[in-house]
Structures are given as structure tokens and as C-alpha cells.
Amino acid sequence: MNNDQISVRMVLSLVGTLTVVVALHHPAVGAAIGVAIVVTLLNELMGR
């Protein structure tokens, strides 16, 4: 496992955690961020 994989996993974990926190306090904003994350991940996966 190289450092690139660790950093990507760390960033995804932090973004996921922040999304959950925002969704708990502001459900509409959390849902919008969640959809944006899913679309971005799908875009990245399909681009490879």
C-alpha cells in the first residue's frame, strides 16, 4: 500500500464524516453534498 492510497482513503473518510455531520444539522445541504460526492466518484471511476 503506497502513500497515495492512504491519502485518498483519508480524504474520503474525512469528507464522508463531514457530510454526515452536515446532514445531521442541515439535511438538505447534507443531501446535496452527498449527491455531489457520489457523482464525483462515479465520474472518476468512469474516467479511468
Side-chain angles (χ1 to χ4, degrees), residues 4-34:
D4 291 338
Q5 289 177 337
I6 293 172
S7 64
V8 169
R9 288 180 182 169
M10 179 69 83
V11 169
L12 289 176
S13 297
L14 289 173
V15 169
T17 303
L18 289 173
T19 303
V20 169
V21 169
V22 170
L24 288 173
H25 292 288
H26 303 286
V29 176
I33 293 172

Side-chain angles (χ1 to χ4, degrees), residues 29-46:
V29 176
I33 293 172
V35 169
I37 291 170
V38 170
V39 169
T40 303
L41 288 175
L42 286 175
N43 188 23
E44 286 294 320
L45 289 173
M46 294 181 78

